[in-house]
């Protein structure tokens, strides 16, 4: 963390104020200094039009300490994984239970994840959730690719903070690939399925042009409700397991 008394601030510096994290950003297109809460990362973005105005932006943040504290307090609480917890897996409830032996997912309803109650409990639970995420998202990706008559892309999962999926088009040397956030498994199936359709549409349109959205509509239909759901619930999904 950079101390507030620093005489020179730089783009990307991280400050701490009253338990809140502030990240400094320079945006030449900005007309004034501003504050924005990044609900996914749980930090406040302090923006200035130029590096020389970052000190002004930091001072502005200190003046708005009360506003910052209120906004951060609105963020969802962290949700560590422990026996007795209930959460949704592609829209179906899952109960976490302590049990000896190898960790396993038992399909319900309700679903149950069993694992020994020790320090590695959350690690094993997350491994099972990620495995289910990869299986379901891969199946839907192959299905949508087939609808377009497109060769199946390689599918992988990760834990990015800024996006739910990304698509790399095929090259002469390498086939196409799609990477998803495993946290889509925590969303309703129809929401995760929209993201799959969105990324598969990028296999044929590497842009967000009207032609791209026409492909999304062809594959999925109206995308507005799942897109809005992700915007509302993003912070909660990223708090899971932390």
């Amino acid at each position: 963390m950079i101390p507030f008394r620093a005489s020179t601030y730089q783009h990307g510096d991280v400050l701490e104020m009253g338990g809140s994290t502030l990240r400094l950003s320079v945006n030449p297109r900005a007309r004034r200094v501003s504050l924005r809460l990044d609900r996914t990362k749980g930090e406040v973005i302090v923006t200035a039009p130029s590096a020389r105005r970052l000190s002004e932006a930091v001072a502005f943040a200190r003046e708005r300490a009360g506003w910052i504290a209120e906004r951060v307090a609105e963020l969802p609480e962290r949700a560590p994984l422990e026996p007795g917890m209930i959460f949704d897996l592609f829209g179906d409830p899952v109960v976490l239970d302590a049990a000896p032996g190898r960790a396993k997912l038992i399909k319900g309803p309700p679903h149950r994840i069993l694992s020994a109650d020790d320090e590695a409990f959350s690690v094993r639970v997350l491994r099972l959730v990620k495995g289910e995420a990869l299986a379901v998202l891969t199946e839907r990706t192959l299905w949508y690719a087939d609808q377009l008559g497109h060769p199946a892309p390689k599918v992988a999962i990760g834990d990015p903070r800024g996006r739910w999926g990304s698509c790399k088009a095929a090259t002469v040397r390498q086939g196409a690939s799609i990477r998803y956030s495993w946290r889509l498994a925590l969303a309703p199936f129809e929401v995760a399925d929209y993201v799959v359709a969105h990324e598969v549409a990028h296999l044929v349109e590497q842009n967000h042009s009207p032609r791209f959205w026409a492909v999304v509509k062809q594959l999925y239909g109206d995308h507005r409700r799942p897109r809005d759901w992700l915007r509302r619930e993003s912070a909660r999904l990223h708090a899971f397991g932390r």
Side-chain angles (χ1 to χ4, degrees):
M1 295 287 183
I2 306 298
F4 269 100
R5 64 178 179 272
S7 58
T8 302
Y9 295 105
Q10 298 180 359
H11 174 79
D13 283 351
V14 177
L15 314 178
E16 191 277 332
M17 185 179 69
S20 301
T21 299
L22 279 61
R23 185 174 300 277
L24 307 188
S25 174
V26 174
N27 182 355
R29 292 177 295 179
R31 296 184 177 181
R32 60 183 184 277
V33 299
S34 64
L35 305 177
R36 175 178 63 85
L37 176 63
D38 187 324
R39 294 180 59 83
T40 298
K41 296 182 179 179
E43 60 187 22
V44 175
I45 309 301
V46 183
T47 302
S50 64
R52 62 184 177 82
R53 294 188 64 183
L54 281 174
S55 294
E56 176 188 345
V58 170
F60 179 64
R62 297 185 71 174
E63 293 174 359
R64 300 297 305 276
W67 179 89
I68 290 174
E70 290 176 358
R71 298 291 81 75
V72 172
E74 294 172 355
L75 292 172
E77 295 183 4
R78 298 302 185 185
L81 306 181
E82 54 191 10
M85 181 182 185
I86 301 175
F87 65 93
D88 285 347
L89 185 64
F90 289 112
D92 294 324
V94 177
V95 180
L96 300 186
D97 284 335
R102 186 176 181 179
K104 54 187 175 181
L105 168 63
I106 302 175
K107 296 296 182 72
H111 300 331
R112 296 174 66 205
I113 291 182
L114 308 180
S115 179
D117 187 8
D118 55 25
E119 293 182 355
F121 181 85
S122 62
V123 173
R124 289 191 290 267
V125 169
L126 286 177
R127 185 180 299 125
L128 290 172
V129 172
K130 291 176 182 180
E132 189 70 6
L134 181 59
V136 173
L137 296 173
T138 298
E139 177 185 1
R140 297 305 297 163
T141 298
L142 300 184
W143 191 87
Y144 277 126
D146 184 65
Q147 299 307 298
L148 293 178
H150 196 283
K154 180 181 178 181
V155 179
I157 58 172
D159 193 13
R161 289 293 189 95
R163 58 177 61 186
W164 297 108
S166 59
C167 176
K168 289 186 178 180
T171 64
V172 175
R173 296 184 177 181
Q174 193 172 14
S177 63
I178 295 178
R179 188 174 184 86
Y180 299 105
S181 168
W182 67 264
R183 294 178 185 275
L184 287 171
L186 308 175
F189 175 81
E190 59 272 19
V191 173
D193 202 41
Y194 154 65
V195 176
V196 175
H198 183 114
E199 297 306 328
V200 170
H202 277 310
L203 293 173
V204 295
E205 291 290 341
Q206 288 284 313
N207 51 57
H208 287 99
S209 66
R211 288 185 300 179
F212 165 80
W213 289 111
V215 177
V216 174
K217 185 175 182 180
Q218 171 192 341
L219 293 175
Y220 182 85
D222 189 349
H223 69 280
R224 289 173 295 182
R225 290 183 64 181
R227 181 191 60 187
D228 292 345
W229 190 96
L230 282 172
R231 289 175 176 172
R232 291 194 310 270
E233 303 295 334
S234 174
R236 181 176 64 81
L237 268 54
H238 281 91
F240 180 86
R242 297 190 185 280

